[in-house]
Amino acid sequence: MSEALTSIAGLASALPWVGANLRPGALRGLLFYVQTSEDTSARRWVTHEFPGRDEAWHEDLGQKTRSFSIEGLLVGPDVVLQSRAFARAAADPEPATLLHPWLGAMRVVVLDCRISHDVNQARVARVSLRVEKAGTKPAPVLGIDSLGEVLDEADRLLTAAQSIYAEYRFMRAAADFIVQSFKASVLGIAGAIEGALSNAGLVGGAAGSVSALSTMNDAAIVSDTAVPLAVASAARDVSALAGGRAALTRGADAAPQGAFAALDALNAQELVKAPIGAATTPARAQLVAANEGLAVLAAAIFAGEFARAAAAVPWASRDEAMAARDKVSDALAAAADRVAAAGWDAVWQRLVALRAASAADLAERAAPLPRIKRLELPGVMPATLIAYRLDGDSLSDVFGRGAALSARNRLRHPGFVPAAQPIEVLV
């Protein structure tokens, strides 16, 4: 830019009239002389006019892009070559540096460039520029994949819990009676899973991994990695029953509510019972430590899979989604307290992160959902009549709404909705 200024100054001194009456400027370093410049600067407004109101309301949308209209000259015996170079510079797709004679250097985009020649002015070409001040390219606004965050954090939790459990080597050189007692604790987890699935109507669900957990041999029981892997596999298969992106490829029909209920029950109970008797000998102390380690491992893993299952359930109402958020949050908080007391810092961090991700995901998905309302009926009436009074006479909706109302309230007959107690509807 300093070379451009020097050249302009030199040419201006060689042409006294040009130096006295025009101002030097440059576009991408190409020199021209400015005759006039007009600067446009304002704000963007939207005018809102309302029926019955004489005054309008003007909404401010921010500052208007600053623009300039510049009239100038190209002067010299090679004016035709200058014109071609100037036209190429104006047509370049990248923002240009404009040296403005009054405002200094600025980055602009050229919206319009007109160059005219006159036979009576052989050494002069007239330039008309319309430019706008260039801005910076905005960073892309990325949508947050809240479900993906939950699944990623649940995977990290599984990995962290298994890794830390393996580091303790609870069953190293354990006596035979310690191995058998600890095996009973592992079998207790398998039995609890089977019971929870059965109560949720998912008899036989996750059968493969639960069977593997309940039939572990002594060599696997004393392994530093086999036990945490088996517990994690069984818990992961339970959450996979919820379907959606949280599922593994199993080929079975998804049962989101059942899987969520099963994990809710598993998180509400103590999966590993403390051994009877005090830790009065090194062997007994080893058993107590191993059972506590297994209990902490199970608490962390099943709380994490509870969050994974909640992310897969297609909640029908905002109330249900927010209730699930609270249940998952409480389970993860309880597990975090337990692993913190055990000194499993890395697992604690993963539980905290998963709790935040799960709460954000469920809150985001709950926002557009309908609310649950309780209706007291004046008397016995059909479900379709209730739907008609709620939604109007749209035949395409009324029968489906009536069937959904019947299913939600577990009615024995949709044609006779009892008035003995309020019914739930989504509004």
Side-chain angles (χ1 to χ4, degrees):
M1 189 58 68
S2 60
E3 295 179 359
L5 289 172
T6 302
S7 301
I8 291 173
L11 186 54
S13 61
L15 300 171
W17 180 87
V18 170
N21 294 277
L22 303 179
R23 292 294 182 269
L27 180 73
R28 298 190 196 277
L30 299 179
L31 313 179
F32 70 107
Y33 294 93
V34 178
Q35 293 177 292
T36 62
S37 175
E38 183 178 300
D39 180 0
T40 302
S41 181
R43 299 191 71 79
R44 294 172 292 153
W45 297 94
V46 174
T47 302
H48 298 276
E49 296 181 317
F50 304 92
R53 181 175 175 180
D54 295 335
E55 294 181 349
W57 171 57
H58 294 86
E59 182 180 5
D60 179 23
L61 298 184
Q63 187 172 349
K64 190 174 182 180
T65 304
R66 194 173 183 183
S67 62
F68 304 88
S69 296
I70 301 173
E71 302 291 335
L73 301 175
L74 296 172
V75 180
D78 58 346
V79 69
V80 175
L81 297 178
Q82 289 187 52
S83 300
R84 292 175 181 174
F86 201 89
R88 287 195 300 270
D92 192 290
E94 295 297 323
T97 299
L98 171 68
L99 179 62
H100 196 283
W102 293 284
L103 302 176
M106 65 182 72
R107 296 283 287 173
V108 299
V109 291
V110 181
L111 303 180
D112 186 58
C113 175
R114 290 179 291 119
I115 303 175
S116 60
H117 298 267
D118 190 329
V119 68
N120 296 314
Q121 298 175 344
R123 301 178 63 185
V124 175
R126 297 189 176 274
V127 175
S128 179
L129 285 177
R130 187 164 63 90
V131 302
E132 286 185 352
K133 199 166 185 179
T136 57
K137 185 177 181 179
V141 179
L142 302 178
I144 298 176
D145 180 10
S146 58
L147 173 57
E149 284 290 320
V150 173
L151 302 185
D152 288 345
E153 289 298 341
D155 289 341
R156 296 186 187 107
L157 172 60
L158 276 180
T159 301
Q162 293 177 73
S163 299
I164 289 185
Y165 178 92
E167 290 176 3
Y168 279 88
R169 305 184 67 185
F170 289 110
M171 298 300 292
R172 179 178 55 181
D176 184 65
F177 81 94
I178 298 296
V179 173
Q180 298 309 313
S181 180
F182 186 70
K183 182 187 290 188
S185 299
V186 175
L187 288 173
I189 295 177
I193 295 173
E194 289 180 334
L197 290 174
S198 178
N199 292 335
L202 298 175
V203 178
S209 57
V210 173
S211 176
L213 184 64
S214 60
T215 58
M216 295 183 70
N217 56 33
D218 292 354
I221 287 293
V222 300
S223 169
D224 300 327
T225 57
V227 170
L229 179 61
V231 173
S233 178
R236 182 66 183 88
D237 280 1
V238 175
S239 66
L241 295 172
R245 284 174 56 191
L248 298 175
T249 304
R250 298 298 184 197
D253 293 335
Q257 295 286 356
F260 181 81
L263 285 163
D264 188 13
L266 289 167
N267 277 279
Q269 60 182 293
E270 185 66 37
L271 296 177
V272 180
K273 304 295 191 297
I276 299 174
T280 54
T281 66
R284 294 289 300 175
Q286 182 181 26
L287 179 60
V288 170
N291 274 270
E292 178 58 24
L294 181 62
V296 174
L297 174 76
I301 287 178
F302 281 97
E305 294 312 301
F306 194 27
R308 195 195 300 268
V313 177
W315 302 106
S317 71
R318 190 184 313 175
D319 306 73
E320 293 168 338
M322 298 310 287
R325 181 199 65 178
D326 294 341
K327 282 187 174 183
V328 172
S329 181
D330 290 345
L332 290 169
D337 290 342
R338 189 155 192 176
V339 301
W344 295 16
D345 294 343
V347 180
W348 179 85
Q349 292 173 357
R350 298 275 60 88
L351 282 164
V352 170
L354 177 56
R355 186 185 183 198
S358 176
D361 173 60
L362 289 170
E364 178 182 338
R365 291 195 288 129
L369 296 178
R371 303 297 299 265
I372 292 177
K373 183 178 180 180
R374 294 183 177 274
L375 291 182
E376 293 186 0
L377 303 180
V380 178
M381 60 179 62
T384 51
L385 178 58
I386 300 172
Y388 170 79
R389 293 188 175 181
L390 290 171
D391 295 339
D393 58 356
S394 174
L395 292 179
S396 61
D397 298 332
V398 69
F399 292 105
R401 180 72 181 268
L405 187 151
S406 179
R408 165 168 284 278
N409 292 276
R410 298 179 176 86
L411 302 178
R412 296 180 64 184
H413 195 294
F416 302 94
V417 182
Q421 58 185 8
I423 63 171
E424 289 185 355
V425 296
L426 300 180
V427 294

Coordinates of all heavy atoms in Angstrom, one line a residue, residues 146-162 232 235-236 239 245-246 300-311 328 332 347 349-355 357-358:
S146 N -28.4 -33.8 21.6 CA -28.5 -34.1 23.0 C -28.6 -35.6 23.3 O -28.0 -36.2 24.2 CB -29.7 -33.5 23.7 OG -30.9 -33.8 23.0
L147 N -29.2 -36.4 22.4 CA -29.3 -37.8 22.5 C -27.9 -38.4 22.3 O -27.5 -39.3 23.1 CB -30.3 -38.4 21.5 CG -30.3 -40.0 21.4 CD1 -30.6 -40.6 22.8 CD2 -31.3 -40.4 20.4
G148 N -27.2 -37.9 21.3 CA -25.8 -38.4 21.1 C -24.9 -38.2 22.3 O -24.1 -39.0 22.7
E149 N -25.1 -37.0 23.0 CA -24.3 -36.7 24.2 C -24.6 -37.8 25.3 O -23.7 -38.2 26.0 CB -24.6 -35.3 24.7 CG -24.0 -34.2 23.9 CD -22.5 -34.1 24.1 OE1 -22.0 -34.3 25.2 OE2 -21.8 -33.9 23.1
V150 N -25.9 -38.1 25.5 CA -26.2 -39.1 26.5 C -25.6 -40.4 26.2 O -25.0 -41.1 27.1 CB -27.7 -39.2 26.6 CG1 -28.1 -40.4 27.5 CG2 -28.4 -38.0 27.1
L151 N -25.7 -40.9 24.9 CA -25.1 -42.2 24.6 C -23.6 -42.2 24.7 O -23.0 -43.2 25.2 CB -25.5 -42.5 23.1 CG -27.0 -42.6 22.9 CD1 -27.3 -43.1 21.5 CD2 -27.8 -43.4 23.9
D152 N -22.9 -41.1 24.3 CA -21.5 -41.1 24.4 C -21.0 -41.1 25.9 O -20.1 -41.8 26.2 CB -21.0 -39.8 23.7 CG -21.1 -39.9 22.2 OD1 -21.3 -41.0 21.7 OD2 -21.0 -38.8 21.6
E153 N -21.7 -40.3 26.7 CA -21.4 -40.3 28.1 C -21.6 -41.6 28.8 O -20.9 -42.0 29.7 CB -22.1 -39.2 28.8 CG -21.6 -37.7 28.5 CD -20.2 -37.5 28.9 OE1 -19.6 -38.2 29.7 OE2 -19.6 -36.5 28.3
A154 N -22.7 -42.3 28.4 CA -23.0 -43.6 29.0 C -21.9 -44.6 28.6 O -21.5 -45.4 29.4 CB -24.4 -44.1 28.5
D155 N -21.4 -44.5 27.4 CA -20.3 -45.4 26.9 C -19.1 -45.1 27.7 O -18.3 -46.0 28.1 CB -20.0 -45.2 25.4 CG -21.1 -45.8 24.6 OD1 -21.9 -46.7 25.1 OD2 -21.2 -45.4 23.4
R156 N -18.8 -43.8 27.9 CA -17.6 -43.5 28.7 C -17.7 -44.0 30.1 O -16.7 -44.4 30.7 CB -17.4 -42.0 28.7 CG -17.1 -41.4 27.3 CD -16.7 -39.9 27.3 NE -16.6 -39.4 26.0 CZ -17.5 -38.6 25.4 NH1 -18.6 -38.2 26.1 NH2 -17.3 -38.1 24.2
L157 N -18.9 -43.9 30.7 CA -19.1 -44.4 32.1 C -18.8 -45.9 32.2 O -18.2 -46.3 33.1 CB -20.5 -44.0 32.5 CG -20.9 -44.6 33.8 CD1 -20.1 -44.1 35.0 CD2 -22.4 -44.3 34.1
L158 N -19.3 -46.6 31.2 CA -19.1 -48.1 31.2 C -17.6 -48.4 31.2 O -17.1 -49.2 32.0 CB -19.8 -48.7 30.0 CG -21.2 -49.1 30.1 CD1 -21.7 -49.7 28.8 CD2 -21.5 -50.0 31.2
T159 N -16.9 -47.7 30.3 CA -15.4 -47.9 30.2 C -14.7 -47.6 31.5 O -13.9 -48.3 32.0 CB -14.9 -47.1 29.0 OG1 -15.5 -47.5 27.8 CG2 -13.4 -47.3 28.9
A160 N -15.0 -46.4 32.1 CA -14.4 -45.9 33.3 C -14.6 -46.9 34.5 O -13.7 -47.2 35.2 CB -14.8 -44.5 33.6
A161 N -15.9 -47.3 34.6 CA -16.2 -48.2 35.7 C -15.5 -49.5 35.6 O -15.0 -50.0 36.6 CB -17.8 -48.4 35.8
Q162 N -15.5 -50.1 34.4 CA -14.8 -51.4 34.3 C -13.3 -51.3 34.5 O -12.6 -52.1 35.2 CB -15.0 -51.9 32.9 CG -16.5 -52.3 32.6 CD -16.7 -52.8 31.2 OE1 -16.2 -53.9 30.8 NE2 -17.3 -51.9 30.4
A232 N -21.5 -55.3 33.0 CA -21.7 -54.2 32.0 C -22.5 -54.7 30.8 O -23.4 -54.1 30.3 CB -20.4 -53.6 31.6
A235 N -26.2 -55.3 31.9 CA -26.9 -54.0 32.1 C -27.1 -53.3 30.7 O -28.2 -52.8 30.4 CB -26.1 -53.0 33.0
R236 N -26.2 -53.4 29.8 CA -26.3 -52.8 28.5 C -27.4 -53.5 27.7 O -28.1 -52.8 26.9 CB -24.9 -52.9 27.8 CG -24.9 -52.3 26.4 CD -25.1 -50.8 26.5 NE -25.1 -50.2 25.2 CZ -26.2 -50.0 24.5 NH1 -27.4 -50.4 25.0 NH2 -26.2 -49.4 23.3
S239 N -30.8 -52.1 28.8 CA -31.1 -50.8 28.2 C -31.3 -50.9 26.7 O -32.1 -50.1 26.1 CB -30.0 -49.8 28.5 OG -28.8 -50.2 27.9
R245 N -31.8 -45.3 19.2 CA -30.4 -45.2 19.0 C -29.7 -45.8 20.2 O -28.5 -46.1 20.1 CB -30.0 -43.8 18.7 CG -30.3 -43.3 17.3 CD -29.9 -41.9 17.1 NE -28.6 -41.6 17.5 CZ -28.1 -40.3 17.7 NH1 -28.9 -39.3 17.5 NH2 -26.8 -40.1 18.0
A246 N -30.4 -46.0 21.3 CA -29.7 -46.5 22.5 C -29.6 -48.0 22.4 O -29.0 -48.6 23.3 CB -30.5 -46.1 23.7
A300 N -23.0 -47.8 39.6 CA -22.6 -46.8 38.5 C -23.1 -47.3 37.2 O -23.7 -46.5 36.4 CB -21.1 -46.7 38.5
I301 N -23.0 -48.6 36.9 CA -23.3 -49.1 35.6 C -24.8 -49.1 35.4 O -25.3 -48.6 34.3 CB -22.8 -50.5 35.4 CG1 -21.2 -50.5 35.2 CG2 -23.4 -51.2 34.2 CD1 -20.6 -51.8 35.0
F302 N -25.6 -49.5 36.3 CA -27.1 -49.6 36.2 C -27.7 -48.1 36.1 O -28.7 -47.9 35.5 CB -27.7 -50.4 37.2 CG -27.6 -51.9 36.9 CD1 -26.6 -52.7 37.5 CD2 -28.4 -52.5 36.0 CE1 -26.4 -54.0 37.2 CE2 -28.3 -53.9 35.7 CZ -27.3 -54.6 36.3
A303 N -27.1 -47.2 36.9 CA -27.5 -45.8 36.8 C -27.3 -45.3 35.4 O -28.1 -44.6 34.8 CB -26.9 -45.0 37.8
G304 N -26.1 -45.6 34.8 CA -25.8 -45.1 33.5 C -26.7 -45.7 32.4 O -27.2 -45.0 31.5
E305 N -27.0 -47.0 32.6 CA -27.9 -47.6 31.6 C -29.4 -47.1 31.8 O -30.2 -47.1 30.8 CB -27.8 -49.1 31.7 CG -26.5 -49.7 31.3 CD -26.0 -49.1 30.0 OE1 -26.7 -49.2 28.9 OE2 -24.9 -48.4 30.0
F306 N -29.7 -46.7 33.0 CA -31.0 -46.1 33.2 C -31.2 -44.8 32.4 O -32.2 -44.6 31.8 CB -31.1 -45.8 34.7 CG -32.5 -45.4 35.2 CD1 -33.7 -45.9 34.5 CD2 -32.7 -44.6 36.3 CE1 -34.9 -45.6 35.0 CE2 -34.0 -44.3 36.8 CZ -35.1 -44.8 36.1
A307 N -30.1 -44.0 32.4 CA -30.1 -42.8 31.6 C -30.2 -43.1 30.1 O -30.8 -42.4 29.3 CB -28.8 -42.0 31.9
R308 N -29.5 -44.2 29.7 CA -29.5 -44.6 28.2 C -30.9 -45.0 27.8 O -31.4 -44.6 26.7 CB -28.5 -45.7 28.0 CG -28.2 -45.9 26.5 CD -27.5 -47.2 26.3 NE -26.3 -47.4 27.0 CZ -25.1 -47.1 26.5 NH1 -25.0 -46.6 25.2 NH2 -24.0 -47.3 27.2
A309 N -31.6 -45.8 28.7 CA -32.9 -46.2 28.4 C -33.9 -45.0 28.3 O -34.8 -45.0 27.4 CB -33.4 -47.2 29.4
A310 N -33.7 -44.1 29.2 CA -34.6 -42.9 29.2 C -34.5 -42.1 28.0 O -35.5 -41.5 27.5 CB -34.3 -42.0 30.4
A311 N -33.3 -42.1 27.4 CA -33.1 -41.4 26.1 C -33.8 -42.0 24.9 O -34.0 -41.4 23.9 CB -31.6 -41.2 25.9
V328 N -34.0 -40.4 36.7 CA -32.7 -40.6 36.3 C -31.7 -39.8 37.0 O -30.6 -40.2 37.4 CB -32.6 -40.4 34.7 CG1 -31.2 -40.5 34.3 CG2 -33.5 -41.4 34.0
L332 N -28.5 -41.2 39.2 CA -27.2 -40.8 38.9 C -26.5 -40.1 40.0 O -25.3 -40.3 40.3 CB -27.1 -40.0 37.6 CG -27.5 -40.7 36.3 CD1 -27.7 -39.7 35.2 CD2 -26.4 -41.7 35.9
V347 N -14.9 -42.3 37.6 CA -16.2 -42.7 37.4 C -17.2 -41.6 37.9 O -18.2 -41.3 37.3 CB -16.5 -44.0 38.2 CG1 -18.0 -44.5 38.0 CG2 -15.6 -45.1 37.7
Q349 N -16.7 -38.4 37.8 CA -16.7 -37.4 36.7 C -17.6 -37.8 35.6 O -18.4 -37.0 35.0 CB -15.3 -37.1 36.2 CG -14.4 -36.5 37.2 CD -12.9 -36.4 36.7 OE1 -12.6 -36.9 35.6 NE2 -12.1 -35.8 37.5
R350 N -17.6 -39.0 35.2 CA -18.5 -39.5 34.1 C -19.9 -39.5 34.5 O -20.8 -39.2 33.7 CB -18.0 -40.9 33.7 CG -16.6 -41.0 33.1 CD -16.6 -40.7 31.6 NE -17.0 -39.4 31.3 CZ -16.3 -38.3 31.2 NH1 -15.0 -38.4 31.6 NH2 -16.7 -37.1 30.8
L351 N -20.2 -39.8 35.8 CA -21.6 -39.8 36.2 C -22.1 -38.4 36.3 O -23.3 -38.1 35.9 CB -21.7 -40.4 37.6 CG -21.7 -42.0 37.7 CD1 -21.4 -42.4 39.1 CD2 -23.0 -42.5 37.2
V352 N -21.3 -37.4 36.7 CA -21.7 -36.0 36.7 C -22.0 -35.6 35.3 O -23.0 -34.9 35.0 CB -20.7 -35.2 37.4 CG1 -21.0 -33.7 37.2 CG2 -20.6 -35.5 38.9
A353 N -21.1 -35.9 34.4 CA -21.3 -35.5 33.0 C -22.6 -36.1 32.4 O -23.3 -35.4 31.6 CB -20.1 -35.8 32.2
L354 N -22.8 -37.4 32.7 CA -24.0 -38.1 32.1 C -25.2 -37.5 32.7 O -26.2 -37.3 32.0 CB -23.9 -39.6 32.4 CG -25.1 -40.4 32.0 CD1 -25.3 -40.3 30.5 CD2 -24.8 -41.9 32.3
R355 N -25.2 -37.1 34.0 CA -26.4 -36.5 34.6 C -26.8 -35.2 33.9 O -27.9 -35.0 33.7 CB -26.1 -36.3 36.1 CG -27.3 -35.8 36.9 CD -26.9 -35.5 38.3 NE -28.1 -35.1 39.1 CZ -28.0 -34.5 40.2 NH1 -26.9 -34.1 40.8 NH2 -29.1 -34.1 40.9
A357 N -26.0 -34.3 30.8 CA -26.4 -34.6 29.4 C -27.8 -35.2 29.4 O -28.6 -34.8 28.6 CB -25.4 -35.6 28.8
S358 N -28.1 -36.1 30.3 CA -29.5 -36.7 30.4 C -30.5 -35.6 30.7 O -31.6 -35.6 30.1 CB -29.5 -37.8 31.4 OG -30.8 -38.4 31.6

